[in-house]
Amino acid sequence: MSNLIWLASLLHTADSFYPTGGYAHSYGLEGLVHEGLVKDRESLRSFVLESLLPSLAAVDLPLAAHAWQAFGEPPDWSGVATLCELAVAVKPVKELRLACERVGRARLDLLSTLRPHPLSTAFAGYVREQRLQTPAPVLAALEARCIEAPLEAALAAVLYTTLSAVLSAAVKLLRMGQNACHTLLVESLTVGAATFTQATQRPIEEIGYFQPWWDVASARHETADGRLFIS
């Protein structure tokens, strides 16, 4: 597949128009807003740069990097299963686990429908056989392999889709305009891209991130009196 074709396909999967259901999730941001921990642009910037990006660098990006390698030729199905289980285990909050699984499941269904590929067909069968969950970072790696996108491009897609989802939610939750959010998005993408090498070199046994105030706010969100987002 030519560079132009895989790039166009990757842009498609990273677009908010791509129906993964990501628009329904704030990935814990709404809980933080309810708790008063994120209330304006500065506190949002602190959350993104000091919590969200480190979490991506320690969890989702290395998960996607290891999965991209595991989906090589031939696929390491045992390694894939380990990563699917680990991706669920490292998220202590129910809402965030469900968000990761639902978006991943939607990505697998779309991949099977829009871009049928022997690798995605084999993975879908393996998931049914082993009764595995389908976490979003693993599916991002599978998508990249199926469209022949390189590892760094797969990581860029994970970084962009997560940041854009959270900042899109911020427009609805906070008194912030589009320009302010896109300025923060550009800054965050620059900082996040610098972690790609670190993510590819992070051992599986070191994947994980602990941020209790974020976890507690996300857990309380489940029983909030009113919610705009599922997570």
Side-chain angles (χ1 to χ4, degrees), residues 132-219:
L132 295 173
Q133 291 186 286
T134 53
V138 174
L139 265 295
L142 177 64
E143 285 174 334
R145 279 294 192 181
C146 289
I147 63 175
E148 300 179 16
L151 173 57
E152 192 169 68
L155 298 182
V158 171
L159 177 67
Y160 176 78
T161 53
T162 304
L163 287 172
S164 63
V166 171
L167 292 175
S168 176
V171 174
K172 301 177 180 69
L173 293 167
L174 301 168
R175 289 182 176 272
M176 288 186 60
Q178 294 280 357
N179 287 350
C181 277
H182 279 276
T183 300
L184 180 53
L185 176 60
V186 171
E187 179 183 7
S188 302
L189 287 171
T190 302
V191 174
T195 69
F196 285 178
T197 300
Q198 173 189 347
T200 60
Q201 297 175 352
R202 193 178 189 94
I204 290 179
E205 58 270 18
E206 293 183 11
I207 291 176
Y209 184 74
F210 182 61
Q211 186 58 277
W213 60 275
W214 184 3
D215 291 337
V216 170
S218 297

Side-chain angles (χ1 to χ4, degrees), residues 8-10 12-13 18 110-117 120 146-147:
S9 297
L10 192 66
H12 181 205
T13 64
Y18 199 58
L110 285 165
L111 182 60
S112 300
T113 300
L114 301 177
R115 298 183 179 88
H117 189 281
S120 61
C146 289
I147 63 175

Side-chain angles (χ1 to χ4, degrees), residues 26-40 42-53 55 93 95-96 166 169-170 173-174 209 211-222 224 226-229 231:
S26 76
Y27 300 98
L29 178 62
E30 187 172 20
L32 295 171
V33 172
H34 283 173
E35 297 293 326
L37 297 169
V38 175
K39 54 185 179 294
D40 51 26
E42 284 308 307
S43 54
L44 175 65
R45 181 177 181 273
S46 295
F47 164 65
V48 171
L49 295 182
E50 297 171 14
S51 296
L52 180 57
L53 284 179
S55 172
V93 179
E95 278 195 349
L96 299 182
V166 171
L173 293 167
L174 301 168
Y209 184 74
Q211 186 58 277
W213 60 275
W214 184 3
D215 291 337
V216 170
S218 297
R220 287 177 174 172
H221 178 259
E222 185 178 356
R227 297 187 299 175
L228 286 176
F229 297 94
S231 71

